[in-house]
Amino acid sequence: MLCVSTVIANTVIVNLHDRKSEMTLAVEKTFAVEGIRIPDSSLAREITEFVRETESALLFHHSSRVYYWGTLAGKRRSLKFDRELLYAGAMFHDMGLTPAHCSAHERFEVDGANAARDFLRSRGISKHDVDTVWTAIALHTTPGIPQHMHPVIALVTAGVEMDVLGLAYTEYSDAEREAVVHAHPRTEHFKEDIIQAFYDGIKHKPETTFGNVKADVLAEKDPVFRRGNFCSVIRGSAWPGGLRVLDGPK
């Protein structure tokens, strides 16, 4: 039997700068599924408030779902990990898409990782733990690598892949999926909305998509975008040894 609990707190959230209605909730909700909830710590509460005040409703709820998918996956795999660090990684993983934390030349994943690093450092978190969260965020769009690393790194990517790509969708029960989405709703057109959010966050620095999946977003949205080509970079380098004429058939 799935255990789902929702507790309504008394704290009224103030509407700052006319935020979208989903972000200006009259009350704050604390949600648990299969015994999994946001860590009950001052750090986790500060992360929640920081991300809620910085990101759009779309990204806030997406990041919250990533935490639950990742934690459920970790429980299913019997992994040992610090849920507070996983929460930090999940909630900051798209911070680099926001105007406040988007640099001119770094990949958005690095911007998000740097924002998490600065936040955690300012709260006295150890270098080892900060580095773990940084790596989890920096690698969350690099398939094939995170699953071989520290559980926090692996589970941030697992959560992202579940929420955006639907990978391992059937490994979660109907009740788990329904409960998480009820607590942190997907927009009616989430698939297109998240693609647009990715585009809006990276369109000013297309060169940062070389060799990564966000090049697909620009190719979808920008008719003049041209992908960087790995082979062209090799051939165009300053090193001698250019094109050669291949021998014909023998």
Side-chain angles (χ1 to χ4, degrees):
M1 176 68 69
L2 179 70
C3 177
V4 178
S5 64
T6 303
V7 179
I8 307 299
N10 294 323
T11 304
V12 176
I13 299 175
V14 179
N15 184 349
L16 299 175
H17 308 298
D18 295 321
R19 293 193 184 280
K20 294 180 180 179
S21 59
E22 288 176 288
M23 296 296 290
T24 56
L25 303 175
V27 293
E28 180 148 9
K29 296 180 180 180
T30 301
F31 164 76
V33 56
E34 289 289 0
I36 295 168
R37 64 177 67 246
I38 295 171
D40 183 17
S41 68
S42 59
L43 177 62
R45 288 188 289 273
E46 289 179 25
I47 289 171
T48 301
E49 288 305 310
F50 183 85
V51 177
R52 188 191 296 277
E53 292 176 3
T54 307
E55 293 188 347
S56 65
L58 176 80
L59 293 180
F60 175 80
H61 288 301
H62 160 58
S63 298
S64 298
R65 292 192 303 271
V66 165
Y67 168 74
Y68 285 103
W69 305 138
T71 306
L72 285 165
K75 182 178 180 181
R76 188 168 58 248
R77 300 174 193 176
S78 299
L79 297 178
K80 294 181 179 180
F81 57 95
D82 187 322
R83 292 188 183 184
E84 202 171 48
L85 297 184
L86 179 58
Y87 188 64
M91 296 305 290
F92 273 89
H93 84 275
D94 275 342
M95 189 62 69
L97 297 173
T98 67
H101 297 280
C102 184
S103 71
H105 302 294
E106 295 284 4
R107 285 177 55 157
F108 92 93
E109 301 94 331
V110 172
D111 288 337
N114 288 344
R117 176 198 62 199
D118 295 345
F119 183 94
L120 295 174
R121 278 180 178 173
S122 71
R123 285 150 179 82
I125 305 304
S126 72
K127 183 179 186 304
H128 178 269
D129 288 346
V130 170
D131 288 348
T132 298
V133 173
W134 192 97
T135 305
I137 297 170
L139 291 180
H140 82 267
T141 62
T142 305
I145 295 175
Q147 65 260 38
H148 301 290
M149 301 182 73
H150 187 284
V152 167
I153 299 170
L155 294 175
V156 167
T157 293
V160 171
E161 290 178 339
M162 166 57 177
D163 204 59
V164 177
L165 304 177
L167 300 189
Y169 183 88
T170 58
E171 294 180 13
Y172 298 83
S173 69
D174 291 345
E176 287 170 342
R177 293 194 301 267
E178 290 168 7
V180 172
V181 172
H182 178 76
H184 292 285
R186 290 169 66 95
T187 58
E188 182 180 0
H189 303 291
F190 176 78
K191 294 177 180 180
E192 295 303 320
D193 292 342
I194 196 67
I195 291 172
Q196 186 65 45
F198 293 149
Y199 176 66
D200 290 341
I202 63 176
K203 62 185 177 182
H204 65 289
K205 47 182 180 181
E207 71 283 355
T208 65
T209 67
F210 177 68
N212 71 74
V213 297
K214 290 302 183 284
D216 293 341
V217 173
L218 292 184
E220 176 84 13
K221 292 287 186 178
D222 185 351
V224 301
F225 172 70
R226 295 294 179 267
R227 297 172 184 271
N229 184 283
F230 180 61
C231 295
S232 296
V233 173
I234 294 173
R235 291 177 178 134
S237 79
W239 285 102
L243 293 173
R244 63 185 175 87
V245 178
L246 298 177
D247 293 336
K250 295 181 180 179

